Amino acid sequence: GGGGKKHVMIPPKKAKLSKKERRELQEKQRAAKEAGAGGGGGGGKKNASKKDSSGSIGSANDRKSGGGNNHQSNSNNNNNGNKGESSLSSSNRHGTGISGGNGGDDKTTSLFSHLPPYRDHDTFKEQFSGIKLGNNNNNINTPSSANHHPHQHLHPAVLSLGLKYANGSIRGANARCRAMLQTFQTIIADYTQHSTTTSAPPTTTTTTTKKNKSTTKDMRQDIEQSLLKPAFTYWTTHCRTHSVSMGNAFTFLKLAVANLDRDTTEAHAKTTLIEIIDTYVTQRIEFANQAISKYAGTKIVDGDVILTYAKSEVVQHLLEDAASDTNHNTNTNTNNSTTPKKFRLIIVDSRPLLEGRKLLQNILQSTTTTTHNIECTYILLNSLSYVMMGEVTKVFLGAAALMSDGSVLARVGTASIAMMARRKNIPVLVCCETYKISNRVQMESITGNELGCP
């Protein structure tokens, strides 16, 4: 009767498909979709859904698990058709933009799926340029022009440095940080304080009209928001991930801007910031390198065989100072004077950058122009175990950052050399400036890594 209870049918739970089964199901759906598209429109799609009753269930499960067929085919089409736009999308950043054929099924590639894909500056030229060809709007300060090309408001020095970061012309923590600070000096010197125009609210009691008032924006906030942050964001997001040294220097510069007097003049503020940047470079980089060279040079004795890896600015200064008779001490007492030391240098290098060649060239050039003489040997990383057997007495390494737990962040291959030296009971000395100290803790070397050119 009408008052009886209705029986509710609860469908049983469907068995979870394995990766192989899902892949086979996707292949069937793709073939059915292509056949439907060839046969013409919605009729083929309807027949394909009737042909395989489990197709809708499988596609729904795939959509829940994040691996739908339509998404995969669309992403593949984007990669083949429009590489510039597809590489910037978040789906390709974590999926087919890195892995290639199998997408997220490749366990080896999934380890690096969180890293942004490598972008060649020659392929994506428009991303590293501030000029948009065919733009008829000459006023780059209008919102429409800013939306048309978001990098037009950046200083040309910022775009030039970003291109050097992207193509690898500037490498090394000290070199990248120094170039960033010098670019900040350039854009601060060309800075002009902006003014905002505000109009008085309309009133009904008076018949006179009030003129618009021009109010000056807080210069400290304007420098940070219009100069520092846009440039740093552009370098980090479009060119290359910033190093720890760049991040610490940028934080210091923002603090220096915030500590400016509110009533200071524009010219005085620009002069003060430029002097602060010069002082930072002198004390944190140059003086730090001299202090490290002076202290670590005492660890080198005559007859040592020093091994170093790739190229490090502070290690290069250390080796050149140890081999020369130049005295950096201000004290004229002869007891504190340094004497040149005779040692041999082994430079270990690895592909693809082969940065050790640059170190070898610098040392050879300094040998011909100065009085010191360093005997150098150049090898690749695969010959490391051979030279470690009985030749090397000390290992000097550079560092990109020093974590709060004492771990060292350096270029790939540094850990292999350190572990090999420890196995052979050879002392390892890591040279790192204090401005590279980070408060982060990194337990492995994959989280904060970078993907190079495949």
Side-chain angles (χ1 to χ4, degrees):
K5 294 183 180 180
K6 296 182 179 181
H7 297 282
V8 180
M9 298 296 296
I10 300 177
K13 293 183 178 180
K14 302 295 182 181
K16 187 176 181 181
L17 300 178
S18 62
K19 287 185 177 181
K20 184 177 179 181
E21 294 174 345
R22 287 200 303 269
R23 191 178 297 109
E24 293 176 353
L25 181 59
Q26 289 176 0
E27 294 295 336
K28 293 179 181 179
Q29 292 175 349
R30 186 180 295 107
K33 185 177 180 181
E34 293 176 355
K45 186 174 182 180
K46 184 176 180 181
N47 294 331
S49 61
K50 289 182 178 181
K51 183 177 180 180
D52 190 2
S53 59
S54 62
S56 59
I57 300 175
S59 60
N61 292 333
D62 290 341
R63 284 193 296 269
K64 291 181 180 179
S65 61
N69 180 33
N70 294 333
H71 173 74
Q72 184 177 0
S73 60
N74 291 336
S75 62
N76 290 333
N77 293 332
N78 289 335
N79 287 336
N80 296 329
N82 194 351
K83 295 181 180 179
E85 296 178 359
S86 63
S87 63
L88 294 178
S89 63
S90 59
S91 61
N92 289 333
R93 181 180 294 268
H94 298 282
T96 58
I98 301 175
S99 59
N102 294 331
D105 293 337
D106 190 355
K107 295 183 179 179
T108 304
T109 309
S110 64
L111 290 174
F112 309 103
S113 60
H114 64 285
L115 300 176
Y118 173 79
R119 286 177 293 165
D120 189 5
H121 65 281
D122 292 331
T123 305
F124 306 97
K125 292 181 179 180
E126 186 176 334
Q127 299 178 15
F128 305 104
S129 174
I131 301 174
K132 178 70 174 180
L133 298 179
N135 184 11
N136 296 325
N137 190 0
N138 295 326
N139 187 7
I140 64 175
N141 294 324
T142 59
S144 60
S145 63
N147 294 331
H148 186 66
H149 198 281
H151 305 326
Q152 286 184 343
H153 66 283
L154 295 176
H155 195 279
V158 176
L159 301 173
S160 176
L161 181 60
L163 179 60
K164 293 178 181 179
Y165 282 156
N167 61 19
S169 300
I170 299 180
R171 293 188 182 276
N174 288 344
R176 293 173 63 190
C177 180
R178 188 184 292 109
M180 181 192 71
L181 294 177
Q182 290 174 354
T183 303
F184 278 143
Q185 285 183 321
T186 302
I187 63 178
I188 288 174
D190 297 339
Y191 165 75
T192 301
Q193 188 174 3
H194 296 83
S195 59
T196 58
T197 302
T198 58
S199 58
T203 58
T204 57
T205 58
T206 60
T207 57
T208 60
T209 59
K210 295 183 179 180
K211 296 182 179 180
N212 295 339
K213 296 182 180 180
S214 178
T215 60
T216 303
K217 189 178 180 180
D218 187 1
M219 182 172 54
R220 300 171 299 180
Q221 183 179 2
D222 190 37
I223 291 176
E224 181 179 350
Q225 298 296 332
S226 63
L227 292 185
L228 303 184
K229 283 188 176 180
F232 191 76
T233 303
Y234 170 74
W235 292 329
T236 302
T237 58
H238 292 83
C239 304
R240 186 183 176 187
T241 306
H242 67 86
S243 60
V244 174
S245 59
M246 293 173 59
N248 291 342
F250 181 70
T251 303
F252 172 83
L253 186 57
K254 289 196 301 182
L255 183 62
V257 172
N259 290 335
L260 291 174
D261 190 3
R262 183 181 180 86
D263 299 328
T264 187
T265 61
E266 179 181 332
H268 182 265
K270 291 161 65 174
T271 304
T272 303
L273 290 177
I274 293 175
E275 292 178 353
I276 288 175
I277 293 175
D278 286 333
T279 304
Y280 185 90
V281 174
T282 302
Q283 294 182 354
R284 296 299 187 92
I285 300 179
E286 296 178 1
F287 285 173
N289 288 346
Q290 294 179 9
I292 293 174
S293 175
K294 178 183 176 181
Y295 177 76
T298 60
K299 307 299 180 182
I300 302 177
V301 297
D302 291 336
D304 269 343
V305 179
I306 308 299
L307 185 141
T308 186
Y309 178 62
K311 181 183 181 297
S312 175
E313 180 180 329
V314 62
V315 173
Q316 178 181 341
H317 291 170
L318 162 66
L319 298 174
E320 292 176 351
D321 293 342
S324 64
D325 55 357
T326 304
N327 184 13
H328 293 293
N329 296 330
T330 57
N331 190 359
T332 57
N333 188 1
T334 57
N335 294 331
N336 294 331
S337 62
T338 58
T339 58
K341 299 173 182 179
K342 302 295 182 180
F343 60 90
R344 188 161 67 93
L345 176 63
I346 299 177
I347 301 175
V348 182
D349 207 357
S350 64
R351 298 181 184 276
L353 299 179
L354 298 175
E355 295 176 292
R357 294 182 179 180
K358 183 64 176 178
L359 175 63
L360 181 61
Q361 293 176 358
N362 294 341
I363 291 181
L364 293 179
Q365 291 176 0
S366 61
T367 301
T368 57
T369 57
T370 57
T371 57
H372 67 269
N373 185 13
I374 302 177
E375 181 183 353
C376 299
T377 303
Y378 179 85
I379 64 171
L380 292 179
L381 188 60
N382 53 0
S383 304
L384 178 64
S385 59
Y386 176 76
V387 298
M388 281 283 191
M389 291 173 57
E391 295 185 70
V392 179
T393 57
K394 295 181 180 67
V395 176
F396 284 89
L397 300 174
L402 181 63
M403 301 301 176
S404 59
D405 60 345
S407 58
V408 176
L409 180 66
R411 58 178 48 84
V412 59
T414 306
S416 301
I417 294 179
M419 290 187 292
M420 180 69 70
R422 182 177 182 273
R423 182 66 180 268
K424 302 295 182 180
N425 294 325
I426 299 174
V428 179
L429 291 87
V430 179
C431 304
C432 180
E433 298 87 346
T434 56
Y435 85 106
K436 295 180 182 178
I437 297 177
S438 175
N439 57 0
R440 295 190 295 112
V441 176
Q442 188 168 322
M443 305 303 296
E444 35 77 25
S445 60
I446 299 179
T447 302
N449 216 324
E450 298 179 58
L451 294 178
C453 180

